[in-house]
Amino acid sequence: MTLLLTAPGGLPTTDLRLAQALADVAAVALVHWSPDPARPMDILTQAQAAVAAKATVEMAQGMLAEYGRLDPAQAMDALHTYCCRDGDRLTEVAQSLVRRTLAPETVLAALR
């Protein structure tokens, strides 16, 4: 994905986050690309699933940041460290945190 600006100064934070979300959706779509002709609903469903997964990860990141008094980058590091250590998928761990079936302190302990 390429972004071209007409003026110097970069993107505002909200636009940068939106661009990152769109790039993430595009990346997920490419990873799951199939040579079979796609139906319009297939593409829509995949895009919706990618956006929902990203939103869940961001909610979990926010929960960890608030619980552990961390900045968002540290919270994401804790989430990634926990997933890598236990071999879990990021979206599954995020869903467990959001559903409150996994305690934030358990994930944050991975940083220690």
Side-chain angles (χ1 to χ4, degrees), residues 20-91:
Q20 182 63 56
L22 291 172
D24 291 343
V25 169
V28 169
L30 288 172
V31 167
H32 295 295
W33 179 77
S34 171
D36 298 330
R39 298 174 305 198
M41 289 306 294
D42 293 341
I43 296 169
L44 179 61
T45 301
Q46 289 175 358
Q48 288 173 334
V51 170
K54 182 161 177 51
T56 302
V57 169
E58 288 179 353
M59 282 189 274
Q61 177 185 11
M63 290 172 68
L64 291 174
E66 178 63 26
Y67 185 87
R69 299 181 187 264
L70 306 171
D71 64 46
Q74 291 172 314
M76 187 55 80
D77 286 344
L79 200 53
H80 280 290
T81 301
Y82 180 85
C83 290
C84 289
R85 184 192 73 187
D86 291 353
D88 295 329
R89 293 184 54 188
L90 180 64
T91 54

